[in-house]
Structures are given as structure tokens and as C-alpha cells.
Amino acid sequence: MLAKQMECAMAKIIYRDKEWTVQGGRPVREILEELQLNPESVLAVRDGKLINEETIVEEEDVIKLVAVISGGGR
Amino acid sequence: MSRKKGRKSLRCKKCGQTAVIYMRHHRLALCDHHYVEWFINYTQRTIDKYKMFTRRNRILVAISGGKDSLSLWDVLIQLGYQADGLYIGLGIDEGIQYSERSLEAIHRFMAERPGLTLHVVDMKETYGETIPELALRTRRGRGKPCSVCGLSKRHIMNQVAREGGYDVLATGHNLDDEAAVLFQNTLHWQTGYLARQSPVLEATHPGLVKKVKPFCRFYEREVAAYALVRGIEYQYDECPFSEGATTILYKELLNQLEAQAPGTKFQFYTQFLNAREKGQITFHEKGGEPVLRPCRVCEQPTTAGDLCAFCRLWVTPDMDEEAARMAVPPLLATPA
């Protein structure tokens, strides 16, 4: 039961083909730090809308991270 | 709970609404509406600062289907410029239909903006080989087609711009692209490249078209944010051959510096341009400026022999003049 409650309190982070379940109630920036992702290299999107890195990720939020680096010649 | 106390939410500097982005190096937070407004105005300021073009000029925009090129086209249209697109079908599939999906992204973009003109040059249809096939045949680039790809794109972009009577060729290079190249050229002391890297490459030869980079002062993150806010469904996938590219490594390294010291990338690039412009740093080509001669087939300038590097890919010694011109044909059905 406790585990189930805890699971409900978590947010989901999706980045490329990876997915993490993390503690909500804190800003995007903190979550990126925990996942060791550079905030300069990704943008966070919630419900299809861009959110800034100080936005609080709520419980049960699904946050999609968009990679901003592209490489090679153009 | 205690962590939430005292935290300042990011508000738009212009209207106080929730910000969608905070740009540390500009110390500027903006909402979606004011971000789009700022981004478009800043592009105009860059165009003016480097005297890229005016509204009397016809602009050809190199379109790959990625965030940078589609955002550039979007901004130039909104600013009222005469901007047509050029897409080069490279024939890259690699199991993810990369080229096909890039063109689909462009078609989606155009469907929402009626009246745009797109020139399409397909490598396979025009020259008989895709970029990966060409790379295999010529064995340039040690198994990676990036070398022949870059060579082909530069040639085709210039040729279409000339045939179409365009005044300027615009590409979507952003500050991260430019800073990564500058970083690479500095680490290797490529003085020739350091002498030439610029937001504007003037047409220094009758066979060359002026080239400009109106996004050269935007971080890559800012361009991606613009595309997201504007709802541009760009091609998210990277070119499958770019995996492990040194450009990506340099971008990641610069972003690590940027995270610790905001503004590092911006300073690195813009102060380089300023210092060179003021003559505080100068570079000299070994043996002076290279001598350019027109290629006998395409008439684009070359430093090597009577055939340029691109025509050498297709023209064989046994071909007469007519066969050579067929091998590197005109690209626009109705040249201006």
C-alpha cells in the first residue's frame, strides 16, 4: 500500500528512448541535476507546452525532455 | 515543503505571465507570446548588424526539415522577406527513413503556410546516386558520408541560388554550431578557417552567392524553444551518420562550461568576431589568398585544376564537354 501511494506521488520523465520515475514537488532543474542531464542541452515540455526550469513538477506529471543538440554538417 | 518556501517563480519580464524560458546569459525570462516577439526582433537585429540582406533581396533558405532551418524560414516569412526554400534529398534511410521523414516535416510546415516555394533536388534522381552510395563509391570520409555530403550540399545550394537568381543563401546555423566550429578550429589552430568563419560570407567570385547565418547569435536551445512554442513539427531525429560526430562532442563540452558560467558560449563566439573585426587578432593564409578559377563544367570557383571537387565526383576523363554537362546538369527547370 505504501509502495502504491509512493508510486502515485511520482512524476514520469521521458527523454529519447529512456524513462524515469522521479519524486515530484520540485523544480525541473533539480530533477535534471539528479538525472545528470545538462539544462543547456534539453528543454522540458508538459502537456505539449514548454515549461521553464524553475517550474515545479507536480505528482503524476509526465515531462517530456527534448534534446536540443544536433550535430554533423548542415 | 521547506524547499518551496522563498522560491521565486519565473515570470515574463514584459507582462508578468509565467515564463516558458529563462535565458541566463541575457538574464531574460519570457512568456510564449513575448518570446516569439523577442526572437523575431533579435533575428532582425542580427540581419541588420551584419548587413545580411534587405527586403529588396531574394533569399534562398537551405531547408533540412530540422528545427533550425524551419524556424529560420518561419521567421523570415514573418519579417516579410522574399524567402524560398531549397531541400536536398540526400537519400539517407539507415532504417529510420531519415530523408523521407525530413521531407514530410517540410511538407507539414508548408501545408500550414500556403504560398511558399520549395525547390527540391533529389541526389538519386539528379545524379543517379544517394549520398551513402556516393560515399561508398568514392571512398571519401572513411566509411562516413559526411565529407561528400557537405561537399554536395555546398555545391548544390550555390548552384540553385545562382540558377534561381537569388541574392543570398541563408542557412540555419546557430551559435552552438558556430562556437563548436570555432572551438575545433582553435584547438587545431586552423588559421585559414579562423580567418574565414563569419556570419556573412560575401560573394568574392562571380560563381559564388553570398551566404548568411541569421541565427548565429541564438543558442541552439533558444531555436528549439522557438520551434516548440510555434508548434513547428520538425524532424527530431538526428542524421544517423552524425552519431559520434566531433561537433556534438564540442557542443557538449561547451554546454558543460555554459552550465557553470552562463554566457561562455556567447562571449567565446561574439568576442572572437569583435576582436577579429577590430584587428586585435589577425590570421594570414599560408602563401596568401588561394587563387580561384572557374570549373570548366559548372563554373563555380575552385582552387584545384580545371574541375571542382564536386564535378570530379561525376565527370570522368573519357567524357566530352556535353557528357560532362549532362553528368552535372542544371537543377532548376526554369532558371531565372
Side-chain angles (χ1 to χ4, degrees), chain A residues 25-27 30 38-43 45 50-54 56 58 66-74, chain B residues 3-4 7 10 19-20 24 67-68 153 172-173 177 220-221 224-225 228 234 238 248 251 255-256 258-259:
Chain A
R26 54 196 179 132
E30 272 188 35
N38 188 331
E40 291 299 321
S41 304
V42 293
L43 289 167
V45 174
L50 185 63
I51 55 172
N52 73 62
E53 64 202 62
E54 295 303 325
I56 304 294
E58 305 292 350
V66 178
V68 303
I69 291 182
S70 60
R74 188 120 351 130
Chain B
R3 274 185 301 173
K4 284 188 184 178
R7 183 182 290 132
L10 280 173
V20 293
R24 280 192 198 83
K67 65 183 187 309
D68 303 288
K153 285 192 288 191
H173 291 93
D177 295 322
E220 190 147 20
R221 183 172 180 269
L228 286 170
Y234 58 90
E238 274 306 295
I248 293 179
K251 282 184 176 181
N255 273 347
Q256 284 177 29
E258 185 72 24

Side-chain angles (χ1 to χ4, degrees), chain B residues 256-283:
Chain B
Q256 284 177 29
L257 291 170
E258 185 72 24
Q260 298 298 316
T264 299
K265 282 186 295 190
F266 193 85
Q267 295 283 330
F268 179 53
Y269 178 62
T270 58
Q271 294 304 334
F272 162 73
L273 294 179
N274 291 344
R276 197 182 53 187
E277 192 187 339
K278 289 175 186 165
Q280 291 164 335
I281 49 171
T282 53
F283 302 98

Side-chain angles (χ1 to χ4, degrees), chain B residues 30-208:
Chain B
L30 292 168
C31 68
D32 50 2
H33 171 78
H34 286 112
Y35 182 62
V36 168
E37 185 183 85
W38 173 85
F39 192 94
I40 293 171
N41 289 339
Y42 200 81
T43 307
Q44 182 64 64
R45 294 216 296 275
T46 304
I47 292 166
D48 295 341
K49 180 179 171 68
Y50 295 109
K51 298 181 176 57
M52 291 181 172
F53 45 77
T54 69
R55 282 180 180 73
R56 285 194 299 276
N57 294 136
R58 291 181 65 232
I59 303 149
L60 182 67
V61 188
I63 305 292
S64 68
K67 65 183 187 309
D68 303 288
S69 59
L70 289 179
S71 296
L72 177 59
W73 205 4
D74 185 65
V75 170
L76 294 181
I77 296 158
Q78 290 191 71
L79 285 168
Y81 287 104
Q82 308 172 59
D84 294 345
L86 165 63
Y87 171 75
I88 302 171
L90 305 168
I92 294 174
D93 185 288
E94 297 301 298
I96 60 166
Q97 296 87 44
Y98 177 74
S99 291
E100 198 180 316
R101 287 168 57 198
S102 299
L103 188 56
E104 282 170 11
I106 298 168
H107 285 152
R108 278 196 302 271
F109 176 90
M110 293 179 72
E112 291 170 3
R113 296 162 183 79
L116 296 180
T117 298
L118 178 73
H119 303 289
V120 177
V121 175
D122 187 273
M123 288 294 298
K124 184 81 175 178
E125 279 177 25
T126 310
Y127 304 102
E129 280 176 321
T130 64
I131 287 291
E133 288 168 352
L134 176 62
L136 272 179
R137 175 171 63 83
T138 59
R139 299 182 180 200
R140 284 176 67 136
R142 296 178 194 136
K144 278 218 166 193
C146 306
S147 166
V148 284
C149 187
L151 169 67
S152 302
K153 285 192 288 191
R154 283 192 297 276
H155 186 279
I156 292 167
M157 289 189 288
N158 194 66
Q159 186 179 340
V160 170
R162 285 178 67 208
E163 287 181 15
Y166 290 96
D167 301 297
V168 61
L169 172 72
T171 56
H173 291 93
N174 56 55
L175 190 141
D176 291 44
D177 295 322
E178 295 299 290
V181 168
L182 177 59
F183 192 29
Q184 185 167 16
N185 289 337
T186 305
L187 286 177
H188 298 282
W189 292 118
Q190 297 277 3
T191 52
Y193 291 136
L194 289 167
R196 288 191 293 272
Q197 186 179 352
S198 174
V200 176
L201 290 173
E202 294 291 346
T204 52
H205 184 279
L208 287 176

Side-chain angles (χ1 to χ4, degrees), chain B residues 295-297 306-307 315 318-327:
Chain B
C295 167
R296 72 174 162 84
V297 175
D306 66 339
L307 277 179
V315 177
D318 59 311
M319 287 183 181
D320 59 19
E321 286 303 297
E322 197 184 334
R325 287 183 198 284
M326 291 285 282

